[in-house]
């Protein structure tokens, strides 16, 4: 019989990066940060992560593949991000789940009106149940990351917003509401 008390406690992490930096992280299998690093001692091999790109949403999910280390080798184009850890190749990759489509279901967001503030930190611990929810929804997402690049990221963000808006309008129509003016 498996002794639950001897099982290592796994955590889940939200990793936030620009689209370019996430592409490098995914390709190289590492994630880095700078600034406040007090939480880095908590990140352990075997923990879970979901990747978030501002203006797009969730773009990947996987596991932490190695303990933290320090390196001054410049891997990303904008900064060194010397405090690093290895990440696995994402189990879910190539899809985009807009954050606005799921923020109401994310328990760590206490102020739903200012949800974007919760995604500003490079790394943030999230509840395991939230990780599972995001993982499940990103896996079902129809948005495809390969069609998005830095040139069309703003346009894609508008398309994702339009898709969400249209889904909400359809939801209210299905509930029997009459939509007089469907604007944002």
């Amino acid at each position: 019989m498996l002794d639950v008390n001897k099982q290592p406690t796994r955590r889940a992490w939200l990793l936030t990066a620009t689209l370019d930096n996430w592409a490098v992280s995914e390709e190289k299998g590492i994630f880095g940060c700078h600034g406040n690093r007090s939480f880095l001692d908590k990140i352990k091999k075997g923990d879970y992560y979901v990747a978030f790109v501002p203006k797009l949403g969730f773009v990947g999910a996987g596991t932490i593949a190695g303990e933290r280390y320090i390196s001054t080798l410049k891997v990303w184009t904008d900064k060194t991000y010397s405090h690093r850890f290895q990440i696995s190749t994402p189990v879910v990759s190539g899809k985009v789940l807009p954050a606005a489509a799921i923020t109401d279901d994310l328990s760590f967001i206490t102020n739903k009106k200012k949800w974007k503030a919760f995604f500003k930190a490079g790394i943030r611990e999230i509840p395991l149940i939230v990780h599972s929810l995001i993982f499940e929804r990103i896996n079902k997402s129809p948005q495809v990351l390969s069609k998005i690049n830095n040139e069309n990221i703003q346009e894609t963000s508008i398309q994702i917003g339009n898709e969400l808006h249209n889904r909400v309008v359809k939801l209210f129509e299905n509930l029997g509401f009459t939509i007089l003016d469907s604007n944002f």
Side-chain angles (χ1 to χ4, degrees):
M1 177 182 250
L2 196 59
D3 186 357
V4 179
N5 294 326
K6 291 185 180 178
Q7 288 290 327
T9 304
R10 288 191 173 186
R11 295 174 183 235
W13 303 93
L14 176 69
L15 309 180
T16 301
T18 64
L19 183 58
D20 285 343
N21 286 352
W22 176 248
V24 170
S25 290
E26 190 173 346
E27 177 188 333
K28 304 280 186 190
I30 56 174
F31 193 83
C33 71
H34 60 85
N36 182 1
R37 296 168 300 278
S38 59
F39 55 84
L40 278 173
D41 290 332
K42 296 178 183 177
I43 297 174
K44 302 291 181 206
K45 182 177 180 178
D47 285 353
Y48 303 106
Y49 74 82
V50 290
F52 180 80
V53 172
K55 297 183 183 175
L56 280 182
F58 301 98
V59 296
T63 58
I64 306 298
E67 302 297 331
R68 85 173 186 138
Y69 64 96
I70 296 175
S71 174
T72 56
L73 180 66
K74 191 164 184 179
V75 177
W76 298 273
T77 56
D78 61 340
K79 294 180 182 165
T80 304
Y81 302 109
S82 57
H83 297 272
R84 304 175 183 175
F85 51 90
Q86 292 176 312
I87 59 172
S88 69
T89 302
V91 176
V92 176
S93 180
K95 294 186 174 189
V96 178
L97 173 65
I102 193 172
T103 52
D104 286 342
D105 299 328
L106 302 180
S107 61
F108 68 92
I109 299 176
T110 54
N111 185 344
K112 303 296 184 187
K113 290 181 181 178
K114 296 185 179 182
W115 62 266
K116 290 179 182 179
F118 290 86
F119 296 101
K120 293 201 182 255
I123 301 172
R124 170 184 221 117
E125 186 173 4
I126 59 174
L128 283 170
I129 192 83
V130 170
H131 169 271
S132 298
L133 176 68
I134 295 170
F135 183 87
E136 178 183 311
R137 297 239 186 116
I138 194 173
N139 206 20
K140 294 178 182 178
S141 179
Q143 295 292 332
V144 181
L145 188 59
S146 62
K147 296 179 182 176
I148 301 168
N149 57 40
N150 279 330
E151 286 77 38
N152 69 3
I153 195 167
Q154 188 65 32
E155 179 183 319
T156 302
S157 151
I158 291 169
Q159 289 172 348
I160 291 171
N162 287 342
E163 178 184 321
L164 179 61
H165 172 77
N166 293 339
R167 288 174 63 194
V168 170
V169 167
K170 188 172 199 136
L171 172 69
F172 279 104
E173 287 173 345
N174 289 342
L175 291 171
F177 290 91
T178 303
I179 308 297
L180 300 176
D181 185 18
S182 177
N183 62 23
F184 292 97

